[in-house]
């Protein structure tokens, strides 16, 4: 930790004190790190440098953006209001599935409502908000740990129902025994069951660039630039979408949530988190506030799900396992729950260093070791990759251990996540930025209109 | 007089807790439906199916038996979850992975002993990773099974105590939520440490070819039951009685029961002593580990996420039985197990878990003290 | 939410529900004039075997400073809790300005203008002192979510916030805690917390204030100042019901005193009467009244 503290102290205070600068500096540092490591990898693997860097960064951008979005949404529930909602995956599923079902063509398999995408999107948000409102009812009377069990149970119920064959709508022949289309007041639809369902957009960038086969003028330009840099269209698309998420959506979420937080409404939220009875004793109808905040937060989670899992053209229920919820929680906890800036920082740190970082590190180590072995034992030498634990560790060959470890970095990553969660809870439950005072008021409270002489401060004395 | 009283009590429930009343009505309907179905009576006035139908008694029997098997495992594992919830005041999301830990520790032991005693000769690596499938059974290697059972308990106790030392003990003074989050971290680390060693694919471990099958005649049919299932039932019930004995007869057990059953008392007497906490982890962890071993014995398959997948069912059982109550956890687990299987009479199997989780949520909302709440388990 | 005080469901037998048939209470309730700020009728509260409040009735006159005293465990705080909806009473009525508020939620009662402080100060610990006070005022339009976020509507919210901010700073200065304005409430000392609690309750601008030992841990000069402020507010028409262990303080400042003992009303009247009441002297055996 002392390393981290020293690093943090090394950051100039002009950056630390300004949210925008802090976030930009963090992102810039992260991108630089990834770019450098990617250049190294490309050189070691004899690949083209620029496309490799571009591909890596577009992937990183997307991950940072989606985790920041989700952490911001969760911060409204957990950070601000203290509502321990660990059913995020379920609410994302409701968002993505509602949109997919509303937009799916009526004649398809599974059939849907055939609505245009923007209307389906709005419908999905409304549905998620309603489901959130229903989920809020337990929150009115339960303690935080019971609410945790209820919400995770609800998210599993949602996933299992979506996964069930019974509503899947995959057998559309009414004569068939296994006919499983849902018929709601004459509207026929299905969830796709375990096979999953198509989401209406498989390439969100096509809204800007036109269809991939026949791009419009902007598309031609963007793809042209891509070609001249050796970058293929899908990377251009990915970069565009990632940037859209990061620059527009994250900003929009941030602004919205800062506004909610820094307002009398946000003050009531904080009071609920601290001591609901005090809030009630001051005349605040906390029940209704909780319902509202659940609805808004869940709609934001649903939208986040749509922008994230809904952007690949296809989802299935297993995308929405509770582990996704835990990822988002880790991001928020690392960043600092209660702080919107912390949420964005947490999303970025989680995506770059906890989620993607171990894999990138493994790649770099693998390449470096490969290079080292070649210089030591001549061409053709490479790191062994034992195919199971027993083989790896019974050979007593440290290189074998390393090879196995690198090959199984994805499970080590989960162990790392677990260790980070425990560490944060034991030593730094306020996260990286949770100690910041984000004052819940729409005006600067330390400032006064000033008819009283500021003899005794009232000025910021920090 | 008494009837009138009961009637007015019923009326009050209806007015004050419509949801509870509705739930009661639904349960009553399902119960009557079940009785009519097994009696092969269908009531369908004017062609509208109202209630009843047909369901061979032996089918119902099989559902109940399957449910009992799941329920015993859930109940056994639930004891620890309930006790830690009651005594340490947090919902331990790592409890499911204690089950997995026990299963792997136990079956690794059973496999190694099977390897040493059975006339087989695969490479040891295949034994270690369960790559040699369906090696042991109660019949061909009873010693391996017994030692595996013991190892599953001891191994889990060891892991659980280490985790308490590293993770939970430094956090005794923190609230339930930080502990809960830390337990999620523990769950992930433990589960993927197992993956790191054993991989993610499920392996078949028990040999079912030569184990005796029994058939219990019931009504018009028979209920099949094999020796592994019988072993599970006997072992689980024996352990439950063991816990009962421990809690009733030993001083430590009495102290633990008081602590877990009565949160107020626990608060008055302050933070429970480390001795009681350790005993809680030992009993709870050991039972979870053994439960993991037994469920693998019955299902024949071991995999890294088996415990995690059981966790919510265990929570459901614990909540149903009343958080903190040891007997409640056992009974709640058995009820959840049986209900989730018997529910297949009415709903497709996809929804069995959905039904169990829904019941859990409803109980938390309307009867947070559990089904037997208020009835003190003396 | 803290479970032991916050509306936790208590076991309630069939005959322990608020007793509506009690015709005397009913009649008295109906006859209560609207002007009377607070009237408690036959209030009852049991915790398991303990009857913490046992059929207590009293009135608080408009604009009065009424004292509520009694030995430890007499049921004073529990009475407050039942009046303000923190606990559900097992019997009896609470009338506020002639309206029956028995069984209402705490926020409804507070919103009507009946506000209380807690004996053990309950601070919103991870909110600053400023935020604590900003939270309190009633009728904040910015508590409506849509007003807080819709760009065109935020102007009014900001205007109101600016006004409230002025009041908050004035209050802080009055209570001499303006130097702590930006401190987290959780970092305050015991006495400072009591001040903040009182300041916060005043910021609600209620008609009636129930103060549960507001001066515990407050230094004497500030205590005198607070009392002075209470008298000023009282002249402006505010009504106070004050629980305090310092009997001299009560005797000097209150014109009407209610004495509770073991859940029951022991005596009621002006200070001189209470001072000479034998039963009160017995209850406070050994203490100098
Ligand atoms: N939440 C509760 N649960 C159980 N018993 C309680 C609860 N609150 C109060 N009591 C009991 O009710 C009785 C009255 O307590 P109360 O706090 O009202 O007394 P008090 O007059 O305010 O005393 P003090 O002067 O010490 O503050 C006491 O016996 C107390 O133990
Ligand atoms: Mg008191």
């Amino acid at each position: 930790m002392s390393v981290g503290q020293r690093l943090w102290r090394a950051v100039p205070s002009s950056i630390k004190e300004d949210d925008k600068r802090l976030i930009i500096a963090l992102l810039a540092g992260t991108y630089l790190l990834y770019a450098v490591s990617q250049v190294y990898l490309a050189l070691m693997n004899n690949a083209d440098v620029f496309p490799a860097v571009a591909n890596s960064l577009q992937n990183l951008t997307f991950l940072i953006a989606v985790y920041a979005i989700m952490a911001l949404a969760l911060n409204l529930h957990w950070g601000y209001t203290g509502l321990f909602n660990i059913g995020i995956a379920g609410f994302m599923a409701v968002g993505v599935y509602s949109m997919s079902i509303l937009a799916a063509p009526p004649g398809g398999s599974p059939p849907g409502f055939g609505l245009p995408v923007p209307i389906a999107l709005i419908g999905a948000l409304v549905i998620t908000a309603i489901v959130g409102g229903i989920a809020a009812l337990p929150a009115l009377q339960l303690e935080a740990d019971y609410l945790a069990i209820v919400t995770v149970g609800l998210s599993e119920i949602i996933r299992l129902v979506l996964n069930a064959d019974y509503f899947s709508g995959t057998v559309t022949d009414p004569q068939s025994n296994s006919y499983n289309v849902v018929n709601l007041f004459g509207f026929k639809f299905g969830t796709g069951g375990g096979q999953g369902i198509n989401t209406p957009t498989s390439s969100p960038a096509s809204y800007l660039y036109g269809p991939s086969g026949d791009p419009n003028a902007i598309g031609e330009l963007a793809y042209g630039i891509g070609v001249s840099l050796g970058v293929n269209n899908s990377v251009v698309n990915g970069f565009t979408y990632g940037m859209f998420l990061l620059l527009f959506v994250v900003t929009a979420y941030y602004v919205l949530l800062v506004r909610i937080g820094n307002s009398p409404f946000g003050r009531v939220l904080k009071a609920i988190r601290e001591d609901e009875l005090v809030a009630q004793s001051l005349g605040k109808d906390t029940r209704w506030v909780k319902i509202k905040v659940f609805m808004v937060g869940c709609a934001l989670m649903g939208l986040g799900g749509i922008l994230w899992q809904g952007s690949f053209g296809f989802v299935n229920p297993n995308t929405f396992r509770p582990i996704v919820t835990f990822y988002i929680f880790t991001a928020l906890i690392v960043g600092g729950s209660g702080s919107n800036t912390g949420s964005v920082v947490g999303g970025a740190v989680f995506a770059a260093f906890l989620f993607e970082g171990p894999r990138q590190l493994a790649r770099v180590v693998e390449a470096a070791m490969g290079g080292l072995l070649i210089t030591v034992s001549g061409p053709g030498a490479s790191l062994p990759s034992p195919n199971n634990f027993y083989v790896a560790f019974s050979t007593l060959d440290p290189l074998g251990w390393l090879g196995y470890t690198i090959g199984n970095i994805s499970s080590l990553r989960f162990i790392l996540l677990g260790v980070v969660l425990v560490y944060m809870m034991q030593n730094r439950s306020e996260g990286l930025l949770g100690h910041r005072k984000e004052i819940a008021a729409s005006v600067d409270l330390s400032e006064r209109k000033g008819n009283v002489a500021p003899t005794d401060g009232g000025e910021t004395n920090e | 007089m008494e009837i009138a009283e009961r009637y007015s009590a019923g009326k009050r429930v209806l007015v004050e807790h419509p949801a509870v009343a509705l739930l009661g009505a639904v349960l009553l309907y399902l119960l009557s439906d079940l009785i009519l179905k097994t009696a092969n009576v269908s009531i369908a006035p004017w062609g509208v199916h109202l209630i009843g139908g047909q369901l061979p008694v032996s089918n119902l029997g099989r559902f109940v038996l399957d449910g009992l098997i799941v329920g015993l495992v859930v109940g056994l594992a639930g004891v620890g979850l309930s006790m830690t919830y009651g005594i340490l005041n947090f919902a331990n999301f790592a409890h499911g992975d204690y089950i997995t830990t026990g299963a792997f520790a136990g079956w690794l032991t059973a496999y190694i002993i099977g390897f040493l005693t059975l006339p087989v000769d695969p490479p040891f690596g295949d034994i270690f990773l369960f790559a040699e499938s369906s090696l042991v059974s109660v019949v061909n290697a009873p010693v391996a099974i017994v030692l595996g059972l013991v190892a599953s308990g001891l191994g889990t106790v060891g892991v659980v105590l280490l985790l308490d030392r590293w993770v939970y003990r430094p956090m005794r003074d923190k609230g339930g939520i930080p502990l809960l989050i830390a337990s999620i971290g523990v769950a992930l680390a433990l589960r993927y440490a197992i993956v790191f060693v054993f991989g993610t694919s499920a392996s078949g471990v028990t040999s079912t070819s030569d184990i005796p099958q029994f058939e219990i005649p019931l009504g018009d049919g028979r209920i099949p039951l094999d020796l592994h299932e019988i072993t599970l039932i006997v072992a689980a019930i024996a352990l439950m009685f063991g816990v009962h004995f421990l809690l009733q007869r030993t001083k430590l057990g009495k102290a633990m029961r008081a602590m877990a059953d009565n949160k107020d008392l626990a608060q008055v007497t302050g933070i429970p002593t480390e001795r009681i906490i350790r005993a809680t982890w030992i009993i709870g962890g050991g039972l979870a580990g053994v439960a993991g071993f037994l469920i693998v014995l019955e299902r024949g398959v071991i995999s890294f996420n088996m415990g995690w997948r059981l966790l919510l069912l265990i929570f459901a059982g614990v909540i149903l039985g009343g958080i903190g109550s040891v007997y409640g956890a056992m009974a709640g687990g058995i009820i959840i197990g049986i209900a989730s299987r018997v529910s297949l009479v009415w709903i497709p199997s996809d929804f069995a878990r959905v039904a169990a989780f829904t019941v859990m949520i409803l109980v938390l909302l309307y009867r947070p003290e559990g089904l037997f709440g208020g009835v003190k388990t003396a | 939410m803290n479970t032991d005080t916050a509306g936790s469901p208590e076991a309630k037998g069939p005959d322990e529900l608020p007793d509506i048939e009690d015709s005397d209470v009913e009649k008295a309730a109906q006859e209560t004039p609207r002007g009377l700020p607070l009237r408690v009728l036959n209030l009852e509260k049991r915790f398991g075997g303990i009857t913490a409040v046992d059929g207590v009735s009293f009135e608080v006159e408009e604009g009065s400073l009424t004292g509520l005293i009694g030995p430890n465990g007499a049921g004073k705080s529990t009475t407050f809790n039942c009046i303000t909806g923190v606990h559900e009473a097992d019997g009896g009525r609470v009338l506020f300005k002639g309206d029956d508020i028995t069984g209402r939620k705490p926020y409804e009662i507070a919103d009507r203008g009946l506000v209380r402080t807690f004996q053990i100060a309950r601070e919103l610990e991870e909110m600053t002192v400023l935020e604590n006070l900003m939270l309190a005022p009633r009728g904040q339009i910015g508590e409506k979510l849509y007003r807080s976020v819709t760009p065109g509507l935020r102007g009014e919210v900001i205007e109101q916030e600016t006004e409230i901010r002025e009041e908050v700073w004035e209050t802080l200065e009055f209570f001499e805690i303006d130097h702590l304005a930006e401190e987290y409430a959780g970092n305050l000392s015991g006495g400072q917390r009591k001040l903040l609690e009182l300041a916060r309750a005043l910021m609600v601008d209620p008609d009636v204030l129930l103060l549960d030992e507001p001066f515990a841990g407050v230094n004497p000069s500030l205590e005198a100042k607070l009392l002075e402020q209470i008298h000023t507010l009282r002249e402006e028409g505010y009504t106070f019901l004050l629980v305090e262990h310092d009997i001299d303080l009560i005797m000097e400042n209150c014109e009407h005193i209610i004495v509770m003992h073991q859940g029951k009303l022991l005596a009621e009247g002006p200070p001189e009467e209470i001072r000479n009441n034998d039963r009160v002297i017995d209850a406070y055996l050994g203490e100098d009244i």
Side-chain angles (χ1 to χ4, degrees), chain A residues 95-111:
Chain A
V96 176
Y97 268 84
S98 303
M99 180 173 81
S100 304
I101 291 169
L102 290 175
S109 165

Side-chain angles (χ1 to χ4, degrees), chain C residues 4 47 50 52 70-79 87 119 213 245:
Chain C
D4 51 15
F47 295 109
I50 309 168
N72 285 50
K76 306 179 294 288
S77 298
T78 307
T79 305
H87 287 325
Q119 179 173 3
E213 301 192 21
H245 271 299

Side-chain angles (χ1 to χ4, degrees), chain A residues 143 260 263-265 267 270 274-275 280-281 283-285 437 440 442 444-449 456 458, chain C residues 3 106-107 110 118 122 125-126 131 134-135 137 140 142-143 148-149 161 165-166 169 173 178 182 184:
Chain A
E143 286 169 56
I260 293 178
S263 75
F265 183 78
R267 224 148 46 213
K270 268 193 177 181
E274 294 298 316
D275 190 336
Q280 292 203 348
S281 296
K284 314 298 175 194
D285 182 354
K437 289 180 185 170
S442 40
D444 183 356
L445 294 184
S446 50
E447 201 177 274
R448 304 188 57 182
K449 226 166 16 206
D456 46 2
Chain C
T3 40
Y107 57 84
F118 292 91
R122 298 177 73 134
E125 299 202 349
E126 285 187 31
E131 284 178 297
M134 290 290 293
L135 174 72
Q140 297 192 42
E143 281 173 11
S148 287
V149 295
E161 290 265 272
R165 181 177 66 189
E166 278 321 293
W169 275 106
E173 274 160 19
D178 49 339
E182 317 223 4
Y184 278 128

Side-chain angles (χ1 to χ4, degrees), chain C residues 101-173:
Chain C
I101 57 164
T102 326
R104 301 241 172 225
K105 301 269 178 247
Y107 57 84
E108 292 175 294
I109 293 169
D111 202 45
R112 284 165 182 247
L114 175 60
V115 168
R116 56 89 55 86
T117 63
F118 292 91
Q119 179 173 3
I120 298 163
R122 298 177 73 134
E123 292 323 319
L124 306 167
E125 299 202 349
E126 285 187 31
M127 293 172 76
T128 63
V129 169
L130 281 167
E131 284 178 297
N132 263 277
L133 292 192
M134 290 290 293
L135 174 72
R138 285 184 282 169
Q140 297 192 42
I141 52 176
E143 281 173 11
K144 293 256 181 302
L145 176 59
Y146 72 95
R147 274 192 184 271
S148 287
V149 295
T150 316
L153 301 176
R154 270 168 60 88
E156 290 171 50
V157 175
I158 289 173
E159 217 170 277
Q160 197 189 31
E161 290 265 272
T162 316
E163 283 166 24
I164 296 175
R165 181 177 66 189
E166 278 321 293
E167 287 173 43
V168 164
W169 275 106
E170 281 161 24
T171 310
L172 282 175
E173 274 160 19

Side-chain angles (χ1 to χ4, degrees), chain B:
Chain B
M1 173 65 183
E2 203 166 80
I3 293 171
E5 244 170 46
R6 208 169 291 158
Y7 171 76
S8 73
K11 205 167 78 180
R12 196 161 44 239
V13 169
L14 194 68
V15 175
E16 283 174 22
H17 303 287
V20 175
L22 189 68
L23 206 67
V26 168
L27 279 179
L28 201 66
Y29 171 83
L30 291 179
L31 197 66
S32 343
D33 188 50
L34 204 58
I35 293 168
L36 290 175
K37 276 193 167 114
T38 50
N40 210 349
V41 176
S42 178
I43 300 174
W46 309 290
V48 184
H49 178 84
L50 207 62
I51 193 168
Q54 52 170 229
L55 173 76
V57 183
S58 56
N59 281 16
L60 181 64
R62 183 65 228 182
F63 282 145
V64 171
L65 190 66
D66 274 351
L68 179 69
I69 288 168
V70 176
L72 283 170
V73 169
V74 169
L76 207 53
V79 170
L81 188 63
S82 188
M83 284 201 310
T84 44
Y85 210 149
I87 289 181
L88 294 172
N89 258 316
F90 79 104
N92 183 10
F93 273 69
H95 200 77
D97 295 286
Y98 293 174
I99 295 173
T100 318
T101 306
F104 275 88
W107 283 97
L108 191 59
T109 308
Y111 252 55
I112 291 172
I113 292 174
F115 173 72
L116 297 175
T117 56
L118 289 174
V120 287
D121 196 20
F124 184 70
D126 286 1
I127 294 292
F128 184 80
L129 297 169
F130 303 112
E132 171 77 13
S133 71
S134 310
L135 186 70
V136 288
S137 76
V138 177
V139 173
N140 73 4
V143 179
I145 298 291
V146 170
L147 290 181
L149 190 81
V150 172
S152 69
L154 292 182
T156 314
V157 166
V159 170
V160 164
L161 287 181
L162 272 184
L163 285 169
D164 183 53
R165 155 90 44 94
W166 290 336
V167 179
Y168 302 123
R169 185 143 69 166
M171 300 178 69
R172 290 274 192 264
D173 54 340
K174 300 230 161 103
I177 293 301
L179 278 161
L180 192 161
I181 296 173
S183 80
I184 292 176
V186 170
L188 287 177
L190 200 54
R191 195 176 323 148
Y192 285 91
I194 291 172
V195 170
F196 186 71
V197 176
F198 297 99
T200 51
S201 54
S203 327
V205 290
T206 59
S207 159
T208 48
S209 54
D210 55 352
I211 63 165
Q213 289 270 349
F214 303 92
E215 295 204 322
I216 308 168
L218 184 73
D220 44 357
R222 289 159 181 286
I223 310 172
L225 185 68
D226 71 26
L227 192 56
H228 284 164
E229 289 167 335
I230 294 173
T231 312
L232 182 151
I233 294 172
V234 170
I237 292 178
L239 279 168
M240 286 180 174
F241 272 105
V243 172
H244 167 73
F245 179 80
L246 198 83
L247 290 184
Q248 296 295 336
R249 298 293 163 81
T250 65
K251 217 172 152 191
L252 184 68
K254 282 177 192 164
M256 286 167 66
R257 229 175 55 232
M259 284 252 164
D261 260 1
N262 188 341
K263 274 194 180 181
D264 293 340
L265 182 70
Q267 272 159 8
V268 170
T269 47
I271 301 170
T273 63
E274 286 299 320
R275 201 170 64 96
I276 289 184
I277 294 176
R278 202 174 323 116
T280 308
W281 284 120
I282 290 174
I283 296 172
L287 291 178
V290 170
F293 183 85
L294 290 175
I295 192 76
V296 172
L297 178 71
E298 193 265 336
R299 291 189 181 161
V301 182
I302 193 166
S303 79
F304 76 101
N305 59 6
M306 50 175 282
W308 169 248
R309 290 168 58 98
L310 275 176
L311 180 66
L312 267 187
L313 272 188
I314 298 171
F315 265 119
V318 167
I319 287 164
L320 208 62
I323 288 167
S325 158
V326 170
Y327 299 102
M330 296 177 186
I334 293 171
I335 293 174
I336 278 286
I338 292 179
S340 74
R341 288 306 138 106
V342 172
S343 70
L344 299 182
V345 171
W346 301 282
I347 56 178
S349 62
D350 290 339
F351 294 117
R353 269 142 61 84
V354 172
F357 298 164
T358 309
V359 167
M360 171 181 84
I361 291 176
L362 291 177
V363 170
L364 263 185
L365 284 181
Y366 295 107
R367 214 176 151 75
E369 71 276 22
L371 287 186
F372 321 113
V375 187
K376 272 276 156 280
T377 46

Side-chain angles (χ1 to χ4, degrees), chain C residues 17-63:
Chain C
L17 293 165
D19 196 354
I20 302 181
E21 279 91 29
D22 196 328
S23 55
D24 291 342
V25 175
E26 188 72 354
K27 201 157 142 255
Q30 276 162 8
E31 285 167 359
T32 304
R34 291 198 68 78
L36 196 64
L38 185 64
R39 181 162 192 195
V40 174
L41 289 166
N42 240 350
L43 198 65
E44 254 183 73
K45 178 70 194 172
R46 285 184 287 272
F47 295 109
I50 309 168
T51 305
V53 180
D54 193 356
V56 168
S57 303
F58 60 81
E59 288 172 15
V60 176
E61 294 291 334
E62 169 132 43

